[in-house]
Amino acid sequence: MNNQELLERSRQAVWHPCTQMKQHETLPLVPISHGKGAWLFDFDGKRYLDAVSSWWVNLFGHGNPRINAALKDQLDRLEHVMLAGFTHQPVVELSERLSRLTGLGHCFYGSDGASATEIALKMSFHFWRNGGKTEKTRFVSLQNGYHGETVGALSVTDVALFKDTYAPLLRASVQVPTPDWRLAEAGETPRDFALRCADKLRNHLEKHHAQTAAFIVEPLVQGAAGMAMYHPEYLARARALC
């Protein structure tokens, strides 16, 4: 296998997500043979810094020996069993550990970020339905927020590039001002701006709490908005308001 052969086969066989096929004519795909640490390598040995950590999810680098050893150990014992009606030791131990760390109780697993968002939206809706508050069906998210590209996740996303084409399929949601400090007034501190934005959230919830099921956020960093950072005080205020 070489770089050119892989590129041609990929163009003929694969739809690449979040990629315009037309771009491949002037901006070729990057062929990857293997990875090590923060680096990716093509078939000619040229290396590329994986600066986005494979879309922000590969936090510990490629070929991490501890993670690889755990994967290989698990494959030798049990590669997969569905959790509907079954259980197994690794999922119980992981869930117990996550519960201790977060204080949030039970764990529910999804296959990717968009699936996790879909699950969270449905769980919040179902919680209120079980409690008899069936009018609580609306969701609030941050301006410029991104939560995935499946239909429910896209409904609470606020990035026009991903969303506009599919507008007729989507359920309406509400966006409140983002605490992204780049939007602050001159001389306004990150904390002060975060608190001002939290006041806007409070105003919205005071008027619409009876219809609101949940508020969804990207904590501290809005990735698709250009790695927009904001002060943690916003999250503390948002949680208290919810």
Side-chain angles (χ1 to χ4, degrees):
M1 183 73 69
N2 57 53
N3 287 342
Q4 196 55 43
E5 179 186 354
L6 183 66
L7 291 180
E8 184 57 33
R9 290 173 63 183
S10 189
R11 282 194 294 265
Q12 296 298 325
V14 182
W15 285 114
H16 292 271
C18 296
T19 307
Q20 293 290 342
M21 297 291 280
K22 185 72 174 174
Q23 291 181 348
H24 299 339
E25 297 176 5
T26 54
L27 188 65
L29 295 162
V30 180
I32 298 301
S33 166
H34 62 283
K36 185 66 177 176
W39 298 95
L40 296 167
F41 298 82
D42 67 15
F43 291 86
D44 294 331
K46 183 178 180 180
R47 69 176 187 170
Y48 305 83
L49 179 64
D50 188 5
V52 296
S53 299
S54 292
W55 262 350
W56 317 308
V57 299
N58 194 7
L59 303 181
F60 300 100
H62 299 276
N64 182 286
R66 180 178 175 186
I67 294 173
N68 285 3
L71 289 169
K72 292 173 183 176
D73 174 67
Q74 183 61 42
L75 281 173
D76 286 338
R77 291 185 288 122
L78 176 66
E79 82 292 345
H80 176 262
V81 66
M82 67 181 185
L83 286 179
F86 295 84
T87 192
H88 50 80
Q89 183 177 344
V91 77
V92 172
E93 292 178 347
L94 176 62
S95 300
E96 290 172 341
R97 187 176 182 188
L98 289 171
S99 181
R100 287 194 299 270
L101 289 169
T102 65
L104 294 177
H106 289 69
C107 294
F108 193 102
Y109 295 92
S111 58
D112 52 67
S115 297
T117 296
E118 299 283 348
I119 291 164
L121 297 176
K122 290 171 69 179
M123 276 188 168
S124 57
F125 162 80
H126 214 131
F127 171 84
W128 296 115
R129 180 179 181 274
N130 285 351
K133 297 186 177 182
T134 56
E135 71 281 8
K136 292 172 78 69
T137 61
R138 299 181 184 178
F139 296 96
V140 182
S141 58
L142 287 180
Q143 168 196 5
N144 300 329
Y146 177 83
H147 298 288
E149 294 180 56
T150 50
V151 172
L154 202 55
S155 292
V156 291
T157 286
D158 187 42
V159 181
L161 175 66
F162 303 123
K163 188 171 184 175
D164 285 358
T165 299
Y166 307 102
L169 301 178
L170 306 179
R171 200 166 187 277
S173 64
V174 175
Q175 280 70 52
V176 293
T178 173
D180 172 5
W181 187 45
R182 297 174 302 181
L183 305 176
E185 300 287 346
E188 192 171 24
T189 68
R191 183 176 186 276
D192 287 344
F193 183 57
L195 293 177
R196 182 156 66 87
C197 291
D199 283 341
K200 300 289 181 63
L201 174 62
R202 176 176 54 81
N203 292 340
H204 175 81
L205 293 178
E206 285 177 349
K207 295 176 183 177
H208 304 288
H209 63 87
Q211 295 81 38
T212 301
F215 174 50
I216 182 169
V217 297
E218 296 161 277
L220 301 182
V221 184
Q222 291 184 282
M227 307 309 286
M229 311 288 180
Y230 60 89
H231 196 280
E233 184 66 26
Y234 184 85
L235 292 178
R237 290 296 177 96
R239 183 165 189 175
L241 288 168
C242 289

